[in-house]
């Protein structure tokens, strides 16, 4: 297999010629966006199925809860590639200015445009699909409030969280470059900071939109920073092989897999009991299981992606690479496509309803991916809508040519 050198690619990617290309980042992003779409598509039957004790409801509840790793995984990846790219670079005014310029162009501009679109359709359909009612009820102040809080549509909170982390990144980078000892302790520091916030909020603050705050994901962000800074020292840990199962690395793998499986299945069961039987657990039980599930999922997906990179044929690796490269644009547009699909009438015959939901997944993924891919190929300034493609072009194992991106800018 060809393992060529190049640039890092990922959400928030910045490329330096001296850095080894981390191939699996593309595949992790692909798996993460699939998880996001599965959660959103499965929300349709969760809200519509009347018989909560039926197998159908149990099935869609599993899909809905088990795949709740998308947001935290993207945050993990963003920190991973940012610190991998920047940690060894001299921090000065030029570097910071370039960093914020790219975020303004490739994150804030698409966020503003898609927020206008989603706010418009949300208000239009909220007021009876009547433009007169629409213009009577919309206001610039209302839109501005939705924009600055990430509430123009239900999925935009992730971009709002990302913006918060981009604002914090220069401070974290400055701190870690000056106090290098901290870089070795980022995992437990992230855990402590996040859970201090969780406990303070639960017992004192009770902030209604906690999931919109970066402090709710500090453990995922600092875990990504740890992996980005120490990647060359720990990259062997990522690749799971039969031979390594007898090595010291398995001492860390096996507990991770057990915690991930136990937390994920318990999280699924907890929400099924709540939804189907109105049996509620203590609030911190939901918080703890979601944390264990989502936190470990990022590491599991990283290991799974490394395995897929080694085992899949060049065709399927290419498919996943392309999906990962388009994931930011897909994230932006997929909710709109799913919204219009959900307006189609559904048959509640079990077989037909399964097909309806599966069709929702296929149409949402296929249409959003197709629109983004065509825009990035044929629109000179597609970054305005969907962000920029990674400048680095990943080399597929077994191929002599890289997967080509069509943007001349670095992703962002």
């Amino acid at each position: 297999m060809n393992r060529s050198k190049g640039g890092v690619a990922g959400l928030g990617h910045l490329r330096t010629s001296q850095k080894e290309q981390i191939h699996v980042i593309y595949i992790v992003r692909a798996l993460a966006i699939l998880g996001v779409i599965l959660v959103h598509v499965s929300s349709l039957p969760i809200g519509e199925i009347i018989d909560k004790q039926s197998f159908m409801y149990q099935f869609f509840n599993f899909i809905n809860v088990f795949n709740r790793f998308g947001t935290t995984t993207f945050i993990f990846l963003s920190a991973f590639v940012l610190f991998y790219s920047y940690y060894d670079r001299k921090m000065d005014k030029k570097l910071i200015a370039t960093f914020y310029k790219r975020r303004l162009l490739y994150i804030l501009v698409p966020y503003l445009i898609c927020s206008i679109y989603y706010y418009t359709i949300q208000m239009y359909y909220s007021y009876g699909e009547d433009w007169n009612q629409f213009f009577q009820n919309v206001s610039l102040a209302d839109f501005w409030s939705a924009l600055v809080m990430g509430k123009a549509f239900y999925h935009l909170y992730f971009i709002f969280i990302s913006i918060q982390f981009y604002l914090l990144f220069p401070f974290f980078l400055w701190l870690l470059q000056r106090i290098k000892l901290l870089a070795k302790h980022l995992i437990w520091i992230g855990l402590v900071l996040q859970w201090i916030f969780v406990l303070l909020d639960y017992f004192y603050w009770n902030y209604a939109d906690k999931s919109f705050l970066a402090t709710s994901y500090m453990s995922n962000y600092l875990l990504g920073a740890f992996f980005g800074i120490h990647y060359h020292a720990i990259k062997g840990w990522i690749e799971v092989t039969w031979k390594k199962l007898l090595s010291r690395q398995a001492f860390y793998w096996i507990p991770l897999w057990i915690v991930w499986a136990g937390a994920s299945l318990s999280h699924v069961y907890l929400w099924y009991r709540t939804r189907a039987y109105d049996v509620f657990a203590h609030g911190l039980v939901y918080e703890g299981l979601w944390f264990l599930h989502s936190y470990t999922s990022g590491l599991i997906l990283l290991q799974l992606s490394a395995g897929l990179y080694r085992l899949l044929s060049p065709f399927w690796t290419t498919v996943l690479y392309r999906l990962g490269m388009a994931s930011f644009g897909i994230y932006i547009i997929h909710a709109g496509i799913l919204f219009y699909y959900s307006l189609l009438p559904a048959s509640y015959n079990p077989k037909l309803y399964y097909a309806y939901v599966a069709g929702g997944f296929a149409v949402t993924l296929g249409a959003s991916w197709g629109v983004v891919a065509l825009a990035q190929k044929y629109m000179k300034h597609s970054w305005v809508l969907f962000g920029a493609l990674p400048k680095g072009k990943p080399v597929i194992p077994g191929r002599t040519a890289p997967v080509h991106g069509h943007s001349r800018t670095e992703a962002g």
Side-chain angles (χ1 to χ4, degrees):
M1 290 186 182
N2 183 17
R3 296 289 189 269
S4 67
K5 300 290 181 74
V8 184
L11 190 63
H13 162 71
L14 288 172
R15 182 176 183 267
T16 58
S17 59
Q18 294 79 21
K19 293 288 186 177
E20 173 190 354
Q21 188 180 52
I22 306 178
H23 305 272
V24 298
I25 292 293
Y26 292 97
I27 301 178
V28 180
R29 291 178 68 187
L31 298 178
I33 195 62
L34 291 175
V36 167
I37 295 175
L38 283 169
V39 169
H40 293 163
V41 170
S42 61
S43 296
L44 300 177
I46 291 299
E48 293 176 346
I49 295 175
I50 297 175
D51 184 1
K52 306 297 185 184
Q53 286 84 45
S54 65
F55 171 79
M56 178 183 286
Y57 191 84
Q58 294 179 47
F59 173 76
F60 285 120
N61 177 75
F62 177 86
I63 298 297
N64 182 259
V65 179
F66 184 80
N67 290 286
R68 291 184 183 181
F69 49 73
T71 298
T72 53
T73 298
F74 277 125
I75 290 170
F76 166 71
L77 291 179
S78 179
F80 189 152
V81 296
L82 282 175
F83 282 92
Y84 181 79
S85 298
Y86 277 103
Y87 183 70
D88 296 325
R89 297 168 66 177
K90 182 181 178 181
M91 186 176 179
D92 52 26
K93 291 181 179 179
K94 181 179 179 181
L95 183 71
I96 299 303
T98 301
F99 174 82
Y100 280 124
K101 178 183 177 181
R102 286 169 176 158
R103 268 72 213 163
L104 174 64
L105 290 177
Y106 308 134
I107 300 295
L108 288 182
V109 171
Y111 174 64
L112 173 62
I113 293 173
C114 73
S115 292
I116 293 172
Y117 168 73
Y118 282 116
Y119 177 78
T120 300
I121 65 170
Q122 186 163 252
M123 295 297 289
Y124 175 73
Y125 284 95
S126 295
Y127 290 97
E129 303 175 44
D130 184 297
W131 285 112
N132 290 326
Q133 289 290 320
F134 171 82
F135 286 112
Q136 290 176 19
N137 288 278
V138 299
S139 71
L140 184 60
D142 185 43
F143 169 71
W144 176 254
S145 176
L147 178 71
V148 299
M149 294 301 294
K151 294 183 178 181
F153 213 59
Y154 64 84
H155 69 308
L156 295 180
Y157 77 102
F158 163 66
I159 302 178
F160 179 62
I161 294 165
S162 298
I163 292 170
Q164 295 173 58
F165 277 122
Y166 291 144
L167 292 174
L168 292 171
F169 173 72
F171 168 73
F172 281 128
L173 181 63
W174 172 84
L175 185 64
L176 292 172
Q177 285 182 339
R178 277 153 183 76
I179 310 176
K180 294 188 178 296
L181 182 63
L182 288 177
K184 298 180 180 180
H185 301 282
L186 286 174
I187 294 178
W188 73 261
I189 290 174
L191 294 172
V192 169
L193 290 177
Q194 179 168 321
W195 276 92
I196 287 175
F197 170 75
V198 167
L199 294 175
L200 287 173
D201 180 75
Y202 185 83
F203 289 109
Y204 299 104
W205 300 331
N206 298 309
Y207 186 66
D209 296 317
K210 181 169 66 69
S211 62
F212 284 69
L213 299 179
T215 44
S216 295
Y217 309 92
M218 194 60 68
S219 62
N220 308 98
Y221 189 76
L222 294 187
L223 178 67
F226 179 86
F227 270 70
I229 293 171
H230 302 289
Y231 173 71
H232 291 292
I234 62 178
K235 65 179 180 179
W237 176 89
I238 296 171
E239 295 188 355
V240 178
T241 63
W242 288 109
K243 184 180 296 185
K244 290 182 180 179
L245 286 176
L246 299 177
S247 70
R248 183 180 177 183
Q249 291 173 332
F251 177 78
Y252 300 98
W253 291 342
I254 295 174
L256 170 66
W257 301 338
I258 292 173
V259 171
W260 170 76
S264 301
L265 296 177
S266 297
H267 196 204
V268 170
Y269 180 72
L270 177 67
W271 274 104
Y272 174 70
R273 293 281 294 176
T274 300
R275 288 166 166 172
Y277 298 101
D278 292 326
V279 175
F280 293 88
H282 192 280
L284 290 178
V285 175
Y286 294 91
E287 190 78 44
L289 286 177
W290 174 81
F291 163 75
L292 289 173
H293 174 188
S294 60
Y295 188 80
T296 56
S297 289
L299 300 176
I300 294 295
L301 288 177
L302 194 60
Q303 291 187 325
L304 175 61
S305 297
L308 292 174
Y309 173 74
R310 294 195 314 271
L311 300 175
L312 288 180
S313 67
F315 172 81
W316 287 110
T317 308
T318 302
V319 169
L320 288 176
Y321 273 29
R322 292 189 182 279
L323 178 59
M325 292 170 70
S327 59
F328 180 73
I330 293 171
Y331 188 92
I332 287 177
I333 197 175
H334 83 277
I337 293 172
L338 178 59
F339 172 79
Y340 283 108
Y341 183 86
S342 69
L343 299 178
L344 298 175
S347 170
Y348 293 99
N349 174 285
K351 292 182 179 179
L352 293 178
Y353 193 71
Y354 277 117
Y356 170 79
V357 178
F361 175 77
V363 169
T364 301
L365 174 61
S368 57
W369 191 359
V371 169
V372 173
L374 289 173
Q376 289 175 335
K377 184 173 184 178
Y378 295 109
M379 288 179 60
K380 184 178 180 180
H381 300 295
S382 64
W383 59 267
V384 172
L385 297 176
F386 304 122
L389 278 170
K391 187 176 181 180
K393 302 176 179 65
V395 177
I396 303 296
R399 288 178 51 158
T400 56
V403 175
H404 289 281
H406 300 277
S407 170
R408 298 188 181 189
T409 56
E410 293 177 346

